[in-house]
Every structure is written in C-alpha cells, then in structure tokens.
C-alpha cells in the first residue's frame, strides 16, 4: 500500500515544533473556480431549478405590473380632483381654451394631457376595480414567492446532504499521513462549520439572486416604456453602485478567507486541548495552551470584525446612492408633469419603479459579503475533497514469477514422518 502526503498549509496545534506555531498568510481565493464547483454540485436538481426560475419570473412580472396599475389609480384620483375644479357643461377643449385665455398656460397644458371630464369628480367605482386588481396581483405574487422559497430550501438541503456524504466518503479514503498532519478540529470545522455556511449562503442567495436580477431587468424595461429620459436618469447611478460594490468587496474578500481559516485553527486547538487535557495537565502546559487559545481567539475576532464591517459598508452606501436617484427622478418627473408631457400617475409609478430598481441592486450588493463568505468556506471544503487519496489495494496483487527454496521433512528416529505437533 502506498500513500502520498498532500501538500498543505501549516496548521497550529500540539505536536513536534507546533505547540505555539502559526500558519502563513492564506492564499487568494479562487472565486470563479469555486463558484463553478458549487454550480456543479446543484446539477442533479436542474429540473427543480427550472421550476424555481419560472416561479420567480412569474412573481416578478406580477410585482412589476403593480406600480403601473397603481399609477392608473393615482390618475383617477388626480383627474377627479382637477375635473371637479373645472366648470361643468363644457368640453375639455373649451376648458383648456378658457384657462389659456385667463393666462394659466401651464395649468392648461397639464389639463390638456389629462383624461378629465369638466365638472366630474373621482370615479370611485373604477378606483375600486383598479385597487382590486392590484391586490390580486400582489397576493398571487406572494404565493408564488412562498412556493419558490420552499423549492429553493429543498434544493439547497439536498445539495448540502450530498456534500456531507462526499466528505464522509473522502475521509474514509484519505491516507493516515494526511489525517495525522492535520489537527482534527480543523477537519471537523470543514466538515461541519464550513458545510453549514455553504448551505446558508445558497439558501439566502439563490431565490433572492433570481428575483433581484429579474426585477432589475423587468423594471428597466417598464421604465424605458414610461419615459426614456427618466430611465436614463435612473441608470446614471448604476455605474456608481457597481464601482462601490466592487471596491468594497475587493477589500472584504481576504478578510472572509482569514475569518474561516481562523475558525478552523481555533477549532483545531480547542479539540486538541480537550482531547489531550490529561497530557496538558501532566506536562504543565496550561499556560501555553491558554496563550495559544487567546492568540487564535484574537485572530478570529480581528478578521471577523474586519470582514463584517467592510462588507456592511455596502448597504448604507447603496441606500445613499438610491436616495440620490429618488431625488433626481422626483424633481425631473415633477417638471414633466407640469409641462404636460407625462401624467402624475406615470410619475408616481416611475418613483416606485426607481425604488424597485435600486432595491435589488442594494440586495445584490449586500449579498456580496455573504457570497464571499460562502465561497471561502467552499474553497476549504473542496480543498479537502481534492486532497490526494490513499492508493487502493490491487485486485490482483503482484506475485513472484518463481518460488525458490527447499522443504525438509522432519522424521522420527524410526524414519516415519512425524504427524503430531
């Protein structure tokens, strides 16, 4: 049987020359390669993933249609208010001409672009019908969202179960040189903590990622349909958002790698101290063990704090950019309503769409830290799964071509061969 000790990163722990040892700086994360491996892990669930995508697209389409229909409700209310202020018994054209004759050209332009009936107030019957449609759309979208989340949970838990099974099979095939050279707590951390972190990352990002991307696309199409000028204003903030997300994510990524590496080292130290508690007591190494624990604990605190703080900056930064977008849309939209080039309902719908457009961008940016954390754990798990394995026993072991030797029969003094002991 032949074994090959894998190249590995130095790990701290008890052992020759490792009582107070520490590993070097971790290598950079292969983000793209790790994500591709995770996607291959989900291949057995392709059919269910397609169903999740269809449910997400349908729910997003219904949600995106909501503000446009609500804009019709706003127009009904606004038209009723303006129509009640106009004299009854005249046509809209006569009312507009009267306003222009009175020097109210801006108001006349706005009335000319509206569907008003002079002297008629708010049509509450039509308003109730519009609100009923909106309520039905949002209710169906909510049911589809629940179904999508449930199927996503099934997919993620199945993938996590397969990953744990692969780890269990891998541990049975690893050579003793690998297991002896790694702190047991480090291996356990990869099989438990890192695997759970991968499952949580997939659970929290899969359905949200699909919904966010589809929402951005759907909202963008409707925004250009309503007003290309306002849509271009809303798009001004996209490059800024992408730059902020990339800049912050680039600084947070190494910290997540250090965080999960420090977690594994701390787990390995605790497991060895607990398992070898008697030896620590006998040789009087309590102080050294406590000092090593403090060093690992402080390293985990520092890396965890930096990772969470840096990635947490993305959320308020994106909210600030989204608010700037909201202000620009509101100001320009108000001017276009006053000039009669767009209805108030469309502006109200566009303001909601600008919120819907910036919200998924903020969610995608907020997921950057979570994805980086999950990718860091996935890299550690796949590193274990790709470690060199113990050579298998051959089915037909090699035998010598010829056997040399002589066999002499021991006999009794009488010459009869012995048959007893």
């Amino acid at each position: 049987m032949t074994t090959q000790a894998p190249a590995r990163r130095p790990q701290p722990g008890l052992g020759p020359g490792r009582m107070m040892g520490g590993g070097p700086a971790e290598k950079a994360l292969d983000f793209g390669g790790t994500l591709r491996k995770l996607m291959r892990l989900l291949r057995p669930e392709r059919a269910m993933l397609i169903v999740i995508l269809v449910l997400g697209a349908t729910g997003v389409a219904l949600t995106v249609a909501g503000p446009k229909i609500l804009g019709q409700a706003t127009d009904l209310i606004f038209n009723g208010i303006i129509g009640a202020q106009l004299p009854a018994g005249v046509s809209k054209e006569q009312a507009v001409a009267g306003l222009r004759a009175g020097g109210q050209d801006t108001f006349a332009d706005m009335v000319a672009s509206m569907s008003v009936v002079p002297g008629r107030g708010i049509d509450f019957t039509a308003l109730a019908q519009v609100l009923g449609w909106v309520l039905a759309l949002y209710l169906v979208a909510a049911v589809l969202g629940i179904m999508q989340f449930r199927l996503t949970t099934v997919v993620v838990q199945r993938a996590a179960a397969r990953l744990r099974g692969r780890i269990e099979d891998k541990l049975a095939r690893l050579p003793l040189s690998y297991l002896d050279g790694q702190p047991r707590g480090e291996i356990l951390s990869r099989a438990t903590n890192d695997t759970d972190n991968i499952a949580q990352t997939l659970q929290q990002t899969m359905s949200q990622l699909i919904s966010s991307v589809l929402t951005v696309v759907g909202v963008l199409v409707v925004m250009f349909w309503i007003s290309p000028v306002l849509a271009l204003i809303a798009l001004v903030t996209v490059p800024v958002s992408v730059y902020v997300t990339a800049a912050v994510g680039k600084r947070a990524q190494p910290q997540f790698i250090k965080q999960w590496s420090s977690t594994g080292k701390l787990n390995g130290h605790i497991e060895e101290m607990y398992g070898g508690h008697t030896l620590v007591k006998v040789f009087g190494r309590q102080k050294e063990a406590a000092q090593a624990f403090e060093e690992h604990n402080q390293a985990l605190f520092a890396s965890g704090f930096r990772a969470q703080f840096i990635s947490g900056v993305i959320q308020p930064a994106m909210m600030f950019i989204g608010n700037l977008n909201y202000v620009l849309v509101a100001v320009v939209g108000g001017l276009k309503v006053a000039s009669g080039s767009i209805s108030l309902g469309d502006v109200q719908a566009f303001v909601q769409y600008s919120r819907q457009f910036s919200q998924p961008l903020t969610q995608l940016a907020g997921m950057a830290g979570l994805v980086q954390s999950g990718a860091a754990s996935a890299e550690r798990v796949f590193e274990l799964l790709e470690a060199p394995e113990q050579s298998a026993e051959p089915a037909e072991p090699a035998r010598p071509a010829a056997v040399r030797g002589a066999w002499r029969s021991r006999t009794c003094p009488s010459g009869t061969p012995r048959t007893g002991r």
Side-chain angles (χ1 to χ4, degrees), residues 207-241:
S207 58
Q208 189 175 3
L209 179 64
I210 294 174
S211 298
S212 297
V213 173
L214 293 176
T215 299
V216 169
V217 175
V219 167
L220 194 59
V221 170
V222 179
M223 288 169 68
F224 272 101
W225 177 35
I226 295 176
S227 174
V229 175
L230 292 179
L232 291 175
I233 293 175
L235 285 177
V236 170
T237 59
V238 173
V240 181
S241 302

Side-chain angles (χ1 to χ4, degrees), residues 67-135:
K68 180 62 178 176
I69 300 177
L70 277 177
Q72 298 178 8
T74 302
D75 285 338
L76 287 173
I77 296 174
F78 190 57
N79 291 341
I81 294 175
I82 298 299
Q85 298 178 5
L86 299 176
V90 298
S91 64
K92 185 177 75 171
E93 291 74 14
Q94 293 173 338
V96 170
L99 292 173
R100 295 190 187 281
Q104 303 182 45
D105 293 336
T106 302
F107 188 39
D109 292 337
M110 184 177 66
V111 172
S113 63
M114 298 171 59
S115 299
V116 297
V117 177
R120 180 182 298 179
I122 301 174
D123 187 351
F124 287 100
T125 302
L127 180 62
Q129 292 177 351
V130 171
L131 295 178
W133 277 108
V134 173
L135 179 62

Side-chain angles (χ1 to χ4, degrees), residues 276-295:
H277 179 70
T278 303
L279 293 176
V280 174
K281 295 283 287 185
V282 168
F283 290 99
R285 305 304 294 268
Q286 297 95 321
K287 183 176 180 180
E288 289 83 354
Q291 183 178 354
F293 171 83
E294 185 63 23
E295 291 179 359

Side-chain angles (χ1 to χ4, degrees), residues 42 57 104 114 116 134 148 156 166 177 239 256 271 274 280 286 314 322 326 330 354 374 383 394:
L42 298 173
Q104 303 182 45
M114 298 171 59
V116 297
V134 173
Q148 180 188 6
V156 170
R166 289 176 57 185
S177 57
F256 279 110
E271 195 277 335
Y274 181 78
V280 174
Q286 297 95 321
I314 296 179
Y326 173 77
S354 66
E383 183 182 34

Side-chain angles (χ1 to χ4, degrees), residues 17 46 61 83 87-88 90 101 122 137 165 178-179 223 258 271-272 291 311 325 372 391 410:
R46 287 190 295 266
V90 298
I122 301 174
L137 287 178
Y178 183 92
L179 299 175
M223 288 169 68
K258 293 180 180 179
E271 195 277 335
E272 288 190 354
Q291 183 178 354
S311 62
N325 182 28
Q372 289 167 355
S391 300
R410 293 188 297 168

Side-chain angles (χ1 to χ4, degrees), residues 33 41 75 91 114 135 147 157 182 196 247 276 295 332 334-335 347 353 356 379 382 386 399 406 416:
L41 185 66
D75 285 338
S91 64
M114 298 171 59
L135 179 62
M147 295 172 60
Q157 294 306 317
Q182 294 275 355
D196 289 342
E295 291 179 359
V332 177
L335 295 176
V347 172
Y353 284 130
Q356 287 188 1
E379 185 191 39
F382 289 129
E386 295 168 358
R399 299 179 182 275
T416 305

